[in-house]
Amino acid sequence: MVNIRGHIFVRFASSGSPQETEILEGKMVPIDSARPLDFSPYVLWQGGKWSIQSDRLVSQGRNIQGPKGSALLTGVATDGKRLWIAAFGLGICEWVGSKWELVDNHSREVTALSYVNENLWVGTRREGAYSISSNGTVTPSNDESEIPSHVVVSLFKYLGVLYACSLEDGLARWTGEHWSAVIGPSTQAPRQAVEFRGRLYLRNGNGVVDCFDGVRWTHGIEKNLRRPQCSALAVSGSGVLFGEWGGFSKFDGQEWTHELGIKSLQGKPVTCLAETREGTWIGTQGAGLVHVLPDRSAIRLGLGAGLKDDWVTGIVARTGVPIVGTFSGGVVQIVQGRVSKVPTHSNAVRGIFAGKSLWFITATGVESMSGPKLPTDLTEVQAVIEFGNDLWVGCRTGLYRVRLY
């Protein structure tokens, strides 16, 4: 495997680990003109030597047009019988009968393809390399212990595993010993995720929502929304909430319901959501907090109703009580319709996380309502999560692990 920096890696079957054999470091490498290098990918299949020419495969006058949806083929591989191609922007397709069938879309930016030792190896533009076994198991090739990006914007748990969202370098998972890249999300900018009935719903920076069942990714969940661009996610015991421009939708695992006609939400961006027995709580930028009751009537809590700022940055429901953070007005809780202040050192609240303790992400660090004190040198904090006995803190400058218990 050769990466963009000129590093050459060889994976030996005996060890299973890649070993770096040469670093070019930008030096000019002399090439023997008598032995020109052929970088055009080709395979021997059905008695011919098939190579890529732009959007098709050609062999001695014969040609096979690439699949619809991709203008460029970037890789071709075969096991002698089956034939695969990498279609940039689409994924990996197999020639079945007389047509192409999409067989893998974990990455849509595939740059190389090869069949080695009964595994289909896939090289990508920004997601590293991974292999696909005969039973469809996807294994990332990442032997680094460090997280792929130092800018961590969100942290979440799924099926007991810790995940981290980066600003623009994809999704990563913690194996317990090292971090590895996750292949499959539709963008490299994951922002937030929730789990409902064993499925993960992942919101991306462009409003697209992906769904993961533990094995396969499904893209385009947001197309079920009336305004197909999701701005926030939340989960309750009865479904997943999707924030949209001027409203929200709910998915209970089978059916969708849409709430887009609430007057106080019209023309407002939804920033966060939560659900309690008393209804749905919608945070906005510019309209404060909107409480949608079970009968679909709505109550707006703005600057004149106890909030000191109408930009809501986080909501959690703790023992059925909504706790609401605002951009510059601190934190409040709402008990039986009455708004009361929750004391914090900083009023600039950027997010809230509820675990064994209640954690407030502020412009100056992390505060705890009742838990242990944290180091004061944690700056530009974006996300926190309790995982085991530790608190993981994602910042724009790195990821930190603080022992709590």
Side-chain angles (χ1 to χ4, degrees), residues 47-49 58-62:
K49 180 179 178 180
V58 298
S59 174
Q60 300 171 341
R62 295 181 291 170

Side-chain angles (χ1 to χ4, degrees), residues 108 186 207-210 218-230 242 244 249 256 258:
R108 299 186 181 188
S186 58
V208 169
V209 179
D210 304 321
T218 302
H219 302 147
I221 302 300
E222 80 289 342
K223 293 178 182 178
N224 294 285
L225 306 177
R226 298 289 172 81
R227 298 167 184 168
Q229 191 173 48
C230 179
F242 299 78
E244 302 163 70
S249 298
W256 289 84
H258 306 281

Side-chain angles (χ1 to χ4, degrees), residues 299-364:
I299 301 173
R300 178 172 174 256
L301 301 173
L303 297 178
L307 267 66
K308 301 299 182 182
D309 186 4
D310 60 7
W311 181 352
V312 178
T313 55
I315 309 172
V316 299
R318 194 169 177 85
T319 63
V321 175
I323 300 175
V324 182
T326 62
F327 189 81
S328 62
V331 180
V332 299
Q333 62 181 357
I334 305 168
V335 181
Q336 296 180 348
R338 298 184 63 180
V339 179
S340 60
K341 187 81 165 60
V342 175
T344 56
H345 293 290
S346 172
N347 285 327
V349 180
R350 302 295 182 257
I352 307 176
F353 174 80
K356 293 181 180 179
S357 299
L358 191 62
W359 304 94
F360 304 122
I361 302 170
T362 74
T364 57

Side-chain angles (χ1 to χ4, degrees), residues 100-118:
W100 293 108
E101 290 189 1
L102 182 67
V103 296
D104 180 78
N105 65 347
H106 281 81
S107 176
R108 299 186 181 188
E109 296 185 338
V110 177
T111 56
L113 206 60
S114 182
Y115 187 83
V116 181
N117 295 332
E118 300 184 355

Side-chain angles (χ1 to χ4, degrees), residues 79 82 84 115 117-120 131-138:
D79 63 357
R82 303 170 66 185
W84 300 276
Y115 187 83
N117 295 332
E118 300 184 355
N119 286 294
L120 188 63
S131 64
I132 306 174
S133 66
S134 57
N135 63 5
T137 300
V138 175

Side-chain angles (χ1 to χ4, degrees), residues 195-206:
E195 179 181 351
F196 180 69
R197 294 181 181 175
R199 292 179 180 270
L200 180 74
Y201 294 84
L202 177 70
R203 176 176 66 86
N204 294 274
N206 61 355

